[in-house]
């Protein structure tokens, strides 16, 4: 769930030398007779209607209450055969509140993959009314997500979790990954078409159907990868594009998290310094080292046997998922909530009877629940369609985990674990997108981002040679714009808003100062 150098004169002129897409589906080019095979989709009439589908549709009611409109567009299932089967993609629209000064349509994707975006466009309007005044805001549920021809493999769990401390626990995760993949086999006809490339093509059908010559875009986390792919496929149709916490386009896919352990460990250390200064409140340790020792003690206890936390069993495969939540954000409020979780887990590791706090109870309940709405299976389906797993041999993953036991004892078995993509019943229909172009783009991100690590952001920056990167230094948070999912920074917000409203990219890469981080307060 996010860096490019272009001659200054070209960037300031607002034009670019555009790199060609790495590969195209048949529908991305005219046929032999010069006809556009997508014309019937691009020229379809969009019929707007109310969003609520029934009395129990809380999301639809919230959209209706906000005066949003909803609609569906028809798109090809397989863009290499646009004359074939079609699917429906749902979207919401919040019309610009200042129509006199409206400058276009801005599509928002908050990340995921597998996250419905129709409702979340409301967050942008609430957080940045100046942007909502100038743009029609579009929230699109990506194909097979939410209301867009949903895909559900009916998984009994939402996660495989950590590989645990030894071969037996790793083998359990392999068996689970294999089982989950087999449950998607009945959807072989659509799985290869769940890719980000096709979602980007769906975006362009929406652009055309709305009568827009160009599309502005705001993407965060996975939404940045979707934006990167759109820029590569449709460079001349992009207007003002903002990528918040960009993912490495060379790595995105089933094994994306394999390099995330060190970044999350850095966040853990930053939080530990904060917790040490609040030892009187949480009793987790008076120094950073002591707090980290508490974390290690909890981990060792879970490796020996499940911890009892209320009605839940927290074993070695679940605990790293709970501790991963340190990446929620680096504000005092979020760090305090995480400290309360660790306090409960620490007591459980000591054998003390624990009634988990409300937040921890919610997380544990979610981890033990089945994948009722299909969000976990469709997330995996998108990743498996984008890029094949690095290996279909479990031994490759086990050797990698063992090689990093010493330097990544807590998060390595989680981030490097095997996924269902190693047993997926289909293979990607197209090669992974090679991102390389000079389209002007604004990128923003934090040096301590745990989910889109800063080296990966820099890879994206180099691939998008027309981009400007604004870096929030000293911050340990994932996403930085508008306080949508992490603490807000006025410098970042001002830079993004200036670009979206006035079209002013920074003349060069620059930085924004973070407010004093919890480790410096």
């Amino acid at each position: 769930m996010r860096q490019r150098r272009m001659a200054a004169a070209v960037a300031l002129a607002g034009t670019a030398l555009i790199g060609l897409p790495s590969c195209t589906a048949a529908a991305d080019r005219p046929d032999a007779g010069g006809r556009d095979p997508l014309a019937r989709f691009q020229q379809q009439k969009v019929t707007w209607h109310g969003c609520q589908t029934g009395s129990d549709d809380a999301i639809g009611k919230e959209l209706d209450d906000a005066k949003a409109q909803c609609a569906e567009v028809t798109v090809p299932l397989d863009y290499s055969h646009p004359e074939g089967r079609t699917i429906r993609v749902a979207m919401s629209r919040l019309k610009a509140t200042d129509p006199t000064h409206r400058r276009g349509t801005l599509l928002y994707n908050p990340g995921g993959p597998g996250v419905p975006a129709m409702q979340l466009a409301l967050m942008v309007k609430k957080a940045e009314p100046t942007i909502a005044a100038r743009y029609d805001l579009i929230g699109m549920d990506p194909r097979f997500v939410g209301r867009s021809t949903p895909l559900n493999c009916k998984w009994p769990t939402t996660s495989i979790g950590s590989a645990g401390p030894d071969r037996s626990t790793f083998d359990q995760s392999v068996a689970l990954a294999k089982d989950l993949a087999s449950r998607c086999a009945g959807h072989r006809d659509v799985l290869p078409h769940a890719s980000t490339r096709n979602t980007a093509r769906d975006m362009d059908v929406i652009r055309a159907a709305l009568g827009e010559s160009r599309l502005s875009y705001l993407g965060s986390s996975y939404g940045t990868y979707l934006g990167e792919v759109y820029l590569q496929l449709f460079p001349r149709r992009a207007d003002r594009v903002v990528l918040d916490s960009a993912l490495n386009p060379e790595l995105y896919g089933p094994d994306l998290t394999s390099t995330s352990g060190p970044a999350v460990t850095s966040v853990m250390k930053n939080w530990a310094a904060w917790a040490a200064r609040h030892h009187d409140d949480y009793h987790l340790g008076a120094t950073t080292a002591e707090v980290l020792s508490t974390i290690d003690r909890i981990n060792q206890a879970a490796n020996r046997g499940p911890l009892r936390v209320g009605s839940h069993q927290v074993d070695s495969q679940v605990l790293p998922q709970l501790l991963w939540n340190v990446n929620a954000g680096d504000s005092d409020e979020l760090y305090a909530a995480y400290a309360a979780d660790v306090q409960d887990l620490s007591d459980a590791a000591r054998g003390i009877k624990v009634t988990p706090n409300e937040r921890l109870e919610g997380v544990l309940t979610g981890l033990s629940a089945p994948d009722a709405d299909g969000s976990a299976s469709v997330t995996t389906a998108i990743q498996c369609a984008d890029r094949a797993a690095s290996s279909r041999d479990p031994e490759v993953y086990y050797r990698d985990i063992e090689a990093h036991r010493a330097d990544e004892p807590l998060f390595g078995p989680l981030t490097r674990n095997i996924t269902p993509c190693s047993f997926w019943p289909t293979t990607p229909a197209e090669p992974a997108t090679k991102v390389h172009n000079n389209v002007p783009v604004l990128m923003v991100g934090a040096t301590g981002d745990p989910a889109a690590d800063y080296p990966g952001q820099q890879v994206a920056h180099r691939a998008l040679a027309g981009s400007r990167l604004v870096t929030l230094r000293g911050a340990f948070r994932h996403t930085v714009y508008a306080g949508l999912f992490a603490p807000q920074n006025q410098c970042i917000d001002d830079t993004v808003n200036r670009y979206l409203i006035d079209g002013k990219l920074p003349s060069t890469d620059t930085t924004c100062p973070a407010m004093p981080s919890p480790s410096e307060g």
Side-chain angles (χ1 to χ4, degrees):
M1 325 166 93
R2 341 218 233 187
Q3 323 192 359
R4 334 321 169 199
R5 294 180 183 81
M6 173 186 185
V10 174
L12 292 175
T15 60
L17 301 174
I18 306 298
L20 292 176
S22 54
C23 56
T24 58
D28 297 334
R29 57 185 181 270
D31 64 18
R35 296 178 298 271
D36 184 351
L38 291 183
R40 70 185 179 103
F41 301 102
Q42 295 170 336
Q43 296 167 13
Q44 66 186 289
K45 177 179 173 55
V46 177
T47 302
W48 297 102
H49 53 74
C51 299
Q52 189 171 11
T53 58
S55 59
D56 60 345
D57 180 11
I59 291 176
K61 183 179 186 306
E62 185 177 3
L63 286 164
D64 285 342
D65 289 346
K67 306 265 190 290
Q69 302 168 298
C70 288
E72 297 77 37
V73 295
T74 300
V75 298
L77 170 66
D78 179 357
Y79 275 85
S80 66
H81 297 285
E83 74 287 350
R85 181 177 167 185
T86 62
I87 59 174
R88 300 277 277 171
V89 171
M91 62 178 169
S92 64
R93 177 175 70 175
L94 292 160
K95 298 188 76 171
T97 57
D98 183 3
T100 302
H101 298 97
R102 177 188 178 276
R103 71 161 316 277
T105 293
L106 185 147
L107 191 146
Y108 172 55
N109 184 284
V115 174
M118 290 176 65
Q119 179 190 27
L120 295 181
L122 298 174
M123 294 173 53
V124 179
K125 181 176 182 178
K126 182 177 180 181
E128 294 294 343
T130 56
I131 301 304
R134 302 294 295 275
Y135 288 91
D136 291 349
L137 300 178
I138 299 291
M140 177 188 77
D141 284 0
R143 55 171 49 204
F144 306 126
V145 175
R147 302 187 185 195
S148 295
T149 318
L151 170 68
N152 189 341
C153 297
K154 295 182 169 52
W155 283 1
T157 182
T158 59
S159 174
I160 290 174
S162 173
D166 53 37
R167 181 68 199 218
S168 65
T169 53
F170 171 74
D171 286 344
Q172 291 171 25
S173 64
V174 170
L176 179 55
K178 188 178 297 186
D179 174 66
L180 296 181
S182 71
R183 292 170 185 264
C184 289
H187 300 282
R188 283 189 182 91
D189 56 334
V190 301
L191 292 177
H193 310 299
S195 67
T196 299
R197 288 175 68 87
N198 281 334
T199 297
R201 292 171 175 132
D202 296 343
M203 285 170 51
D204 202 60
V205 168
I206 286 175
R207 172 202 60 78
L210 294 177
E212 301 285 353
S213 60
R214 301 174 77 191
L215 181 69
S216 290
Y217 180 77
L218 168 63
S220 58
S221 192
Y222 162 78
T224 65
Y225 181 67
L226 175 57
E228 291 162 6
V229 172
Y230 184 83
L231 289 168
Q232 190 63 32
L233 294 180
F234 306 104
R236 295 176 179 84
R237 297 172 191 166
D239 191 4
R240 296 175 186 174
V241 175
V242 177
L243 305 181
D244 181 359
S245 306
L247 298 186
N248 183 343
E250 297 180 4
L251 193 60
Y252 181 77
D255 304 304
L256 175 66
T257 65
S258 62
T259 62
S260 298
V264 181
T265 299
S266 294
V267 181
M268 178 72 80
K269 291 177 180 178
N270 190 65
W271 166 80
W274 179 94
R277 292 195 303 278
H278 295 82
H279 177 63
D280 291 344
D281 296 321
Y282 300 102
H283 310 289
L284 298 174
T287 67
T288 300
E290 288 179 1
V291 175
L292 294 175
S293 179
T294 297
I295 294 291
D296 183 63
R297 175 178 58 79
I298 298 169
N299 188 42
Q300 292 300 323
N303 286 344
R304 290 190 297 270
L307 312 180
R308 186 75 177 180
V309 183
S311 61
H312 304 277
Q313 298 277 345
V314 176
D315 61 17
S316 60
Q317 291 165 300
V318 171
L319 178 67
Q321 297 179 86
L322 299 178
L323 295 178
W324 185 266
N325 287 334
V326 72
N327 67 14
D330 56 358
S331 68
D332 285 338
E333 179 183 8
L334 291 169
Y335 271 8
Y338 183 78
D341 293 351
V342 174
Q343 194 175 35
D344 285 346
L345 294 170
S346 177
D347 287 345
R350 295 176 184 275
I352 299 171
K353 185 176 180 179
V354 172
T355 300
N357 66 74
E358 184 177 358
R359 182 178 103 141
L360 183 57
E361 172 66 31
V363 174
L364 286 167
T365 299
L367 287 174
S368 62
D371 183 30
D373 62 1
S375 59
S377 60
V378 74
T379 292
T380 304
I382 294 166
Q383 293 174 327
C384 299
D386 278 340
R387 191 187 302 264
S390 59
S391 176
R392 298 182 73 90
D393 181 2
E395 293 302 318
V396 171
Y397 291 88
Y398 186 68
R399 287 195 297 268
D400 184 47
I401 291 168
E402 289 298 296
H404 290 87
R405 287 270 185 205
D407 56 315
E408 297 180 29
L410 176 59
F411 293 124
L414 175 66
T415 63
R416 298 177 182 275
N417 201 11
I418 198 165
T419 76
C421 293
S422 290
F423 308 103
W424 208 240
T426 61
T427 57
E430 300 178 85
T433 304
K434 177 65 176 177
V435 176
H436 182 71
N437 59 67
N438 293 329
V439 182
V441 178
L442 177 61
M443 302 178 63
V444 293
T447 52
D449 191 319
D453 63 56
Y454 196 64
Q457 293 183 46
Q458 293 173 314
V459 172
H461 185 27
R462 290 190 292 271
L464 297 174
S467 67
R468 295 291 178 264
L469 174 62
V470 181
T471 300
L472 188 61
R473 297 210 167 271
F476 293 84
R477 65 193 68 162
H478 181 50
T479 75
V480 296
Y481 174 58
L484 295 171
F485 297 104
Q488 191 167 9
N489 181 275
Q490 195 62 50
C491 173
I492 291 287
D493 293 356
D494 289 347
T495 303
V496 172
N497 292 342
R498 185 181 309 115
Y499 170 59
L500 287 176
I501 294 173
D502 299 325
K504 295 180 179 178
L505 274 175
S507 59
T508 187
D509 293 347
T510 186
T511 61
C512 280
M515 297 295 289
S517 74
S519 63
E520 301 167 340

